[in-house]
């Protein structure tokens, strides 16, 4: 598995084909490797991710976890000079003054390919208590909404379309795709997209939507809220908690976005239902 | 969302139908709620799960994390007597002597709907170092393997087939379905199935297969290894790390099990390729 490019590994496997015959062939696999995120010398969290865009992933994670806030600055990213695993370790240096938010009570765990809210042992600590989205009369047309899935597919790699990887996209209300990121973990794809926006000084994304290729669970909605995103559209199903969270957070949640159908689970006022 | 039964919540939503018309309707949603797992008074981890089979989930998690080992005993499960959230908290009492494995270095985080290996901040701590599967000349026929997906579909709830929930099944080498569990988090479905087997005294499952409805990532393979399972078959794609882990752990990993096709990624010797 040495030929890893663009998050894809290649390996020899045995494949049983449609006609029942067997063949040895090379197969593309999504790369899954740990990334240890350090703040200075402190190992903060390890996430199972697809390599690439590591700085964005770290920045988005710190935003999602409330350690770095909108308007804060990250001083620099670096790799440790001496480590066998240096490509799987990223050191974040926060601007002076931000270190104080890393109290001793903050403990993050290892985050597997679909996890996004690790770090707190008790129920009370799951929610970050970000304020609800401030409504700015953002509205989206049905035609714009229905165009998103094919827009996303065009931007995704061929490999992504095979289902081995998740995608997250940030889109403006006029339907322009701004950022697309892919990762084996859906939370990582979301963190990478938010991280890119943060590094470009675009937060809060209060005139943008989040489009995710899979399901919408609680942590996806909370990450969107951390970035100030008022509308989340998922290709697949939301969970009960995602719906409840969206209602409380003034977020519009759209699920099963499979043109020409979709469901609206919360804050319907942001969808122009008469636009088609 | 009060009418929650069998992990399904019902809620009023707006649906855009195929013909473009809109209707208010009730929609089934997968329930996502936190479960805080306590060992005695200590909050060990919180996982975002679909309620139900909580004892199995806790037992499977403890097995997967190496806190409880094959042959160990759990004394009892209980709910806290006074707590607003008592249905989302489970207290595990380990048999005397087992408490020592909970050293101060063990810190688990909150585990979202698809996470399975939370708890360690650094890369070195991800692997549990379970020994490889001991080979017992277990072999499975192609016909048996190809029958699994439809077997699983028959056992899953109607709701599961809509894609809002993951399933994990334990099957014997003759193709008999032993345990099926469903959850919004694939790692939870796996933990629940392993936990049931543990509580029934069936571990190690060295003559059994694991069948998972989604992808196979690192943590799924490690959980299977914790239960001593030699063969894992996934309906969707494995990751690079899952394949590498399977090779090192003497596990047979089958992916894209979509009859009549499938791929074999490791330890092909357990599949009787001439059986059809």
């Amino acid at each position: 598995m040495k030929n890893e490019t663009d998050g894809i590994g290649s390996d020899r496997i045995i494949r049983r084909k449609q006609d029942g015959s067997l063949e040895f062939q090379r197969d593309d696999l999504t790369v899954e490797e740990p990334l240890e995120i350090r703040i200075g010398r402190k190992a903060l969290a390890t996430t199972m991710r697809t390599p690439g865009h590591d700085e964005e992933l770290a920045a988005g994670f710190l935003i999602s976890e409330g350690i770095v806030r909108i308007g804060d600055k990250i001083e620099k990213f670096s790799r440790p000079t001496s480590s066998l695993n240096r490509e799987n370790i990223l050191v974040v240096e926060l601007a002076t003054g931000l270190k104080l938010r890393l109290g001793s009570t903050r403990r993050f765990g290892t985050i597997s390919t679909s996890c996004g809210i690790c770090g707190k042992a008790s129920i009370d600590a799951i929610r970050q208590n970000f304020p609800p989205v401030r409504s700015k009369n953002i509205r989206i047309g049905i035609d714009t909404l229905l165009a998103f899935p094919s827009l996303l597919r065009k931007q995704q790699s061929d490999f992504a379309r095979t289902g081995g990887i998740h995608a997250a996209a940030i889109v403006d209300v006029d339907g322009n795709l701004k950022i697309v990121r892919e990762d084996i973990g859906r939370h990582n794809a979301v963190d990478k997209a938010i991280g890119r926006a943060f590094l470009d000084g675009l937060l809060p994304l209060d005139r943008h939507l989040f489009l995710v290729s899979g399901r919408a669970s609680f942590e996806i909605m909370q990450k969107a809220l951390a970035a100030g995103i008022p509308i989340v559209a998922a290709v697949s199903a939301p969970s009960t908690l995602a719906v409840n969270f969206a209602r409380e957070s003034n977020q519009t949640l759209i699920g099963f976005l499979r043109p020409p159908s979709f469901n609206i689970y919360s804050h319907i006022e942001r969808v122009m239902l008469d636009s088609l």
Side-chain angles (χ1 to χ4, degrees), chain A:
Chain A
M1 248 169 274
K2 292 295 176 193
N3 298 320
E4 292 174 7
T5 53
D6 297 330
I8 302 173
S10 181
D11 206 356
R12 282 183 70 81
I13 62 156
I14 288 178
R15 175 156 177 78
R16 185 178 199 267
K17 296 193 291 183
Q18 292 279 338
D19 64 5
S21 67
L22 298 167
E23 62 174 20
F24 279 88
Q25 63 172 52
R26 296 205 74 82
D27 188 53
D28 288 338
L29 292 174
T30 309
V31 179
E32 178 187 18
E33 287 285 338
L35 177 69
E36 182 176 314
I37 301 170
R38 293 185 187 169
I39 304 282
R41 292 183 179 184
K42 181 186 162 74
L44 187 70
T46 297
T47 180
M48 304 303 289
R49 94 328 188 172
T50 302
H53 301 289
D54 288 349
E55 289 82 2
E56 298 174 355
L57 174 55
F61 176 79
L62 294 173
I63 288 284
S64 292
E65 293 294 335
I67 296 169
V68 170
R69 297 186 193 158
I70 295 173
D72 283 347
K73 264 199 172 172
I74 289 174
E75 202 64 39
K76 70 165 185 172
F77 299 98
S78 62
R79 302 284 176 176
T81 46
S82 62
S83 170
L84 281 175
N85 252 325
R86 66 188 304 273
E87 76 279 12
N88 284 339
I89 298 173
L90 188 70
V91 182
V92 184
E93 302 286 347
L94 300 181
T96 326
L98 293 187
K99 287 177 186 172
L100 295 176
R101 282 194 209 130
L102 279 171
S104 59
T105 55
R106 283 201 174 274
R107 293 170 184 171
F108 294 91
T110 296
I111 304 163
S112 79
T113 51
S114 299
C115 176
I117 51 168
C118 295
K120 304 109 217 167
S122 72
I123 288 178
D124 295 339
I126 293 172
R127 297 208 179 198
Q128 295 291 344
N129 293 318
F130 295 116
V133 169
R134 271 176 286 178
S135 187
K136 292 210 173 182
N137 297 324
I138 300 304
R139 298 187 76 200
I140 184 156
I142 287 184
D143 44 354
T144 312
L145 195 58
L146 291 177
F148 286 157
S150 64
L151 205 65
L152 185 59
R153 264 195 306 278
K154 271 179 220 156
Q155 290 292 323
Q156 280 183 277
S157 60
D158 285 346
F159 184 61
R161 277 174 253 171
T162 69
I165 201 160
H166 289 278
I170 292 169
V171 193
D172 69 21
V173 284
D174 298 321
N176 303 304
L177 209 57
K178 296 296 187 181
I179 298 167
V180 181
R181 289 294 178 266
E182 297 176 344
D183 199 284
I184 190 169
R186 63 179 173 201
H187 57 96
N188 290 333
V190 166
D191 278 343
K192 284 177 178 179
I194 290 174
R196 179 72 267 152
F198 169 78
L199 295 172
D200 289 344
L202 301 175
L203 298 192
L205 294 162
D206 50 9
R207 298 189 61 82
H208 292 77
L209 285 87
F210 230 129
L211 179 60
V212 295
S213 62
R215 295 180 296 148
S217 55
F218 165 76
E219 90 270 13
I220 300 294
M221 301 310 296
Q222 181 158 268
K223 284 175 185 292
L225 183 60
I229 296 173
I231 308 175
V232 175
V235 171
S236 194
S239 72
T240 54
L241 205 55
V243 173
N244 291 344
F245 185 86
R247 287 180 183 156
E248 292 169 14
S249 306
N250 191 22
Q251 293 171 300
T252 299
L253 174 52
I254 291 152
F256 289 107
L257 179 57
R258 295 166 185 183
S261 303
F262 59 82
N263 296 344
I264 310 175
Y265 294 89
S266 64
H267 293 283
I268 187 174
E269 67 275 9
R270 291 200 189 89
V271 184
M272 289 182 278
L273 290 175
D274 50 359
S275 65
L276 262 195

